[in-house]
Amino acid sequence: GGEGGVPTIFVAAANATEQSQATADYVCTGSPNDDGRTIQKAIDELNNLAPNRGRLVLSEGRFDCNTGMQFNQDGHTVQGMGKLATDVRIKGTPATDFFLFDFGGLGDYNTIRDLTIEDDSIPAAGINITGIRFGGENNTVENLRVMDIGASCTGGGIGSGISVQGVQNVVSNCAVVPGTGYGIWVSADYNKIQDCVFNIWQGGTERGLFVDASVGSEIVNNFFLGWDSSGTGDAMLLDGC
């Protein structure tokens, strides 16, 4: 079943309400070894049930993940219960580059909305941590909190809260606190970043919004807080545009 006839898989957190757990297709245990794998099982089922069309709903509560989630089809939606209600956290000690929600280069017309992603991991030196990666076209990120992605990266590793590597994607109404590296990194053409708030740590080295060699992208009605001259970072950097 699903709203509007769209096939839907519902995953409940270990600390979700009893009602949510009772109605869920999958219930997580709260273990970092389990939560990401359980969500991935739900994604795989959705791919089989509704290729290129479907909705993954995450309950209220907290999901701790030491494995990332991969999508390889078009037209799917990942939806939480609100950015103050659904919290998905990166955990563990990644030894290879880590992507929490990875839409890679194959996914077009996907949406992720209404949740928080945070980074509590302690990666090995030189490892990069990414919250969300889009490599395809016409994807949407909206109403997210993106917190401290890559905050513990060392040895040249960096964090990217949202990495936009494809064209004609939209990121809107997000609250972004960068860790190391970039809050939002745009490295392709004709994307739009709008109505986002960036909170840059004073004295830090991070960049809130990095638009790298991008042609035709729109940066509209964004707000930057907290940057000062004691740091070496940038609220926004346009490089080669």
Side-chain angles (χ1 to χ4, degrees), residues 4 6-7 13 21 30 37 50 61 65 75 80 112 116-117 119 122 124 134 153 161 170 174 177 184 194 199 210-211:
V6 177
Q21 292 189 2
R37 291 175 175 84
C65 303
I112 182 167
T116 286
I117 60 173
D119 185 6
I122 304 176
F134 280 120
C153 287
V170 177
C174 293
V177 178
I184 299 177
Q194 64 180 15
N199 193 341
F210 180 33
V211 183

Side-chain angles (χ1 to χ4, degrees), residues 170-236:
V170 177
V171 181
S172 67
N173 194 33
C174 293
V176 182
V177 178
T180 59
Y182 317 113
I184 299 177
W185 181 8
V186 179
S187 57
D189 300 336
Y190 302 108
N191 293 287
K192 179 181 284 189
I193 312 298
Q194 64 180 15
D195 300 323
C196 294
V197 176
F198 297 83
N199 193 341
I200 313 302
W201 292 112
Q202 295 186 356
T205 60
E206 67 278 351
R207 290 165 175 163
L209 174 59
F210 180 33
V211 183
D212 182 15
S214 174
V215 175
S217 289
E218 299 178 59
I219 312 300
V220 182
N221 197 37
N222 299 287
F223 192 64
F224 297 86
L225 297 167
W227 181 83
D228 73 3
S229 59
S230 66
T232 59
D234 302 282
M236 178 171 65

